Amino acid sequence: MNKNERRNNALQESRSVSENLTFMERLRGLRLDFSLDGESILKGIVCAVLLVFFCLLQTTLFTKFRPLGAVPDLVLPLVIAISMTEKERWGAIIGLIGAIVIESLGGSTFTILPILYTFAGYFCGILTTHYFRDSVATRALYTLVSTVARVFFTLIALFATTGNVTLLDALTKAALPEFFACIIFAPLPHIAAKLCLHRFNKSREERTHE
């Protein structure tokens, strides 16, 4: 058998193997960062349901009932909670999707939200993995720092769009009410994400003993 015949036979075998591959097997062959097993798909569905729920809650109930005169940001603490539980890749992707969803629903005109949410989800996940353990104090610290960053960018957007506002008015009527409203209601998405995603972080032995 010459080289051409061996090459043709090898090509035919590779074609037959590729034709027999299922769609999921071909996607796995791309070596994506996310494994496409049933548990990951179920986890994605749970994260999507949480995201939609808190986006709707923020853009419906809290736009009418404004605690302290401001709409609390529920998506940002949800992104942080998911990143701490499911690490940085999930946090970054949920952050990006969450910002797009909340802006599409009219819940914010803050166009830098995708950057803030994505960075918050990514870096909170990395810090939890390598430096800090998942605890109430760590979650409070991440939420506090991220909320301060959000309020800071809110002030920038306010001064950029409204030229005649004073710093005192911006702080008392926008920044501080938004900050405290976000902090007060931040435990809701943290608790929801912890309860809904807790099972995915258990080993098989722990699940069988439940």
Side-chain angles (χ1 to χ4, degrees):
M1 184 180 295
N2 56 34
K3 293 182 179 180
N4 290 332
E5 291 176 344
R6 286 198 295 268
R7 187 182 297 112
N8 291 333
N9 291 334
L11 288 173
Q12 290 177 357
E13 290 178 359
S14 63
R15 288 174 183 172
S16 63
V17 170
S18 62
E19 289 174 354
N20 292 328
L21 289 175
T22 64
F23 177 72
M24 296 295 291
E25 289 171 338
R26 292 186 183 187
L27 284 180
R28 288 195 185 99
L30 295 175
R31 300 186 182 278
L32 298 175
D33 290 333
F34 292 94
S35 58
L36 293 174
D37 54 4
E39 183 171 308
S40 296
I41 294 173
L42 182 59
K43 186 189 301 182
I45 294 173
V46 172
C47 290
V49 171
L50 286 171
L51 181 60
V52 171
F53 173 76
F54 282 104
C55 282
L56 291 176
L57 187 64
Q58 179 177 328
T59 56
T60 55
L61 176 63
F62 284 110
T63 54
K64 297 179 180 179
F65 165 65
R66 292 173 172 257
L68 304 178
V71 178
D73 190 340
L74 302 178
V75 179
L76 182 57
L78 176 65
V79 170
I80 296 171
I82 291 175
S83 71
M84 294 185 69
T85 305
E86 304 303 327
K87 310 312 176 191
E88 64 273 9
R89 292 191 183 96
W90 282 96
I93 289 182
I94 294 299
L96 179 61
I97 296 174
I100 295 172
V101 171
I102 201 69
E103 287 186 342
S104 65
L105 292 175
S108 175
T109 58
F110 188 27
T111 56
I112 204 171
L113 276 184
I115 299 175
L116 176 62
Y117 284 12
T118 304
F119 271 76
Y122 188 75
F123 284 108
C124 288
I126 289 181
L127 290 174
T128 304
T129 302
H130 298 287
Y131 300 102
F132 303 102
R133 66 184 181 88
D134 187 353
S135 64
V136 175
T138 305
R139 288 173 179 266
L141 177 63
Y142 290 168
T143 303
L144 180 64
V145 173
S146 300
T147 305
V148 169
R150 192 195 195 288
V151 170
F152 176 74
F153 286 116
T154 299
L155 286 174
I156 294 177
L158 185 61
F159 281 111
T161 56
T162 307
N164 57 353
V165 65
T166 64
L167 179 60
L168 182 61
D169 288 339
L171 288 174
T172 57
K173 296 180 180 179
L176 291 178
E178 179 181 290
F179 174 80
F180 286 109
C182 293
I183 294 299
I184 290 172
F185 290 94
L188 293 178
H190 275 287
I191 294 172
K194 188 72 173 179
L195 292 176
C196 294
L197 298 173
H198 178 66
R199 181 176 175 80
F200 294 106
N201 296 283
K202 292 184 177 180
S203 62
R204 292 184 178 179
E205 290 78 10
E206 291 174 331
R207 296 177 189 178
T208 55
H209 290 300
E210 288 183 347

